[in-house]
């Protein structure tokens, strides 16, 4: 799992760097969100985080160690809570590393592509309120993705199925949104989509154009995580190991 966490950080930073190098801002008012560009890699790194979360549960079911765990700690909700706490702490640390490295890379790369003070872009800094919110929100986003993975894996037990469900929730919603022609339905889908709503927290410009506000969007993702953990917890209590 340690390697997967390192992979998540590496993917997030690499994709963020690639995006920062690819996007140009040749004129003032080019309309780009520099912070969100630097944090683009979160949309890729989250896949590795989801796999880590799934393996935190399914690995024990696969080896039969879950029986030993539940024998040692008969209260199954205590087991799930402990797993969620440890997982959240680990992802919090790796997510913070990924976000800080991505922003640092963006701070040095983006000015070379026209994201300068002359074009209305100050260097990326956590001293800036919206940038700090985007950074903190991105870390929390990854933690919530991990908790969704943990809940789904607890509910279905089987790793491949759990990974498929979690990645489907994350990446299929945006695809369906693009297929729908009705703008109002597109907006509603974006408001309930775990990824689209959750990543609204990264936006620092044109907030009035978002289908959902930054913190409200993260709240939607938190609701998905709570629902996944609730279902997983209920099934964990009712089924045999």
């Amino acid at each position: 799992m340690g390697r997967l966490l390192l992979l998540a950080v590496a993917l997030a930073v690499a994709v963020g760097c690639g995006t920062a190098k690819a996007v140009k801002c040749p004129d003032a008012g080019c309309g780009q969100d520099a912070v969100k560009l630097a944090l683009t890699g979160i949309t890729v790194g989250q896949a590795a985080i989801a796999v880590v979360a799934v393996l935190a549960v399914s690995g024990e079911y696969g080896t039969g160690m879950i029986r030993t765990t539940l024998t040692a700690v008969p209260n199954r909700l205590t087991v799930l809570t402990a797993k969620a706490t440890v997982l959240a702490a680990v992802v919090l640390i790796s997510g913070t590393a990924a976000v800080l490295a991505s922003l640092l890379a963006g701070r040095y790369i983006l000015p070379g592509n026209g994201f300068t003070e002359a074009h209305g872009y100050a260097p990326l800094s956590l001293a800036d309120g919206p940038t700090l919110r985007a950074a903190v929100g991105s870390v929390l986003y990854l933690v919530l993705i991990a908790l969704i993975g943990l809940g789904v894996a607890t509910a279905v037990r089987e790793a491949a199925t759990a990974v498929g469900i979690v990645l489907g929730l994350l990446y299929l919603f945006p695809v369906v949104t693009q297929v729908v022609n009705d703008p109002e339905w597109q907006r509603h889908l974006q408001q309930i989509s775990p990824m689209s709503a959750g990543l609204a927290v990264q936006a620092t410009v044109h907030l009035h154009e978002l289908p959902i506000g930054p913190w409200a969007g993260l709240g939607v993702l938190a609701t998905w995580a709570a629902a996944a953990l609730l279902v997983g917890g209920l099934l964990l209590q009712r089924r045999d190991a």
Side-chain angles (χ1 to χ4, degrees), residues 133-223:
R133 185 252 298 149
V136 172
S138 294
V139 175
L140 294 177
Y141 174 89
L142 291 175
V143 171
L144 291 171
I145 293 298
L147 293 179
I148 289 176
L150 183 70
V152 171
T154 304
V156 303
R157 299 183 177 184
E158 207 277 320
T161 303
V163 169
I165 291 173
V166 176
L167 296 186
L169 283 174
L170 294 178
Y171 296 112
L172 285 183
F173 257 105
V175 173
V176 173
T177 300
Q178 294 302 315
V179 172
V180 174
N181 293 323
D182 189 318
E184 193 63 25
W185 273 103
Q186 285 185 342
R187 184 178 182 85
H188 288 321
L189 287 171
Q190 289 174 328
Q191 289 171 336
I192 64 172
S193 163
M195 185 167 77
S196 299
L199 288 178
V201 77
Q202 291 184 343
T204 61
V205 299
H206 308 305
L207 299 186
H208 64 283
E209 298 177 4
L210 296 175
I212 190 169
W215 290 119
L218 202 65
V220 170
L221 182 62
T223 301

Side-chain angles (χ1 to χ4, degrees), residues 4-104:
L4 279 174
L5 287 171
L6 289 175
L7 177 62
V9 174
L11 283 173
V13 176
V15 173
C17 289
T19 303
K21 288 182 178 181
V23 179
K24 310 292 183 182
C25 183
D27 304 300
C30 60
Q32 297 286 350
D33 189 332
V35 176
K36 194 164 186 175
L37 288 174
L39 295 174
T40 301
I42 298 299
T43 61
V44 179
Q46 67 179 346
I49 294 294
V51 173
V52 168
V54 167
L55 292 179
V57 174
S58 62
E60 280 194 287
Y61 277 106
T63 59
M65 284 298 295
I66 190 65
R67 296 184 183 88
T68 304
T69 299
L70 295 179
T71 299
V73 186
N75 189 320
R76 299 187 176 197
L77 287 183
T78 299
V79 172
L80 183 59
T81 301
K83 285 183 176 293
T85 301
V86 172
L87 179 65
V90 171
V91 174
L92 187 68
I93 294 171
S94 57
T96 299
V99 167
L100 291 180
S102 297
L103 289 175
L104 182 62

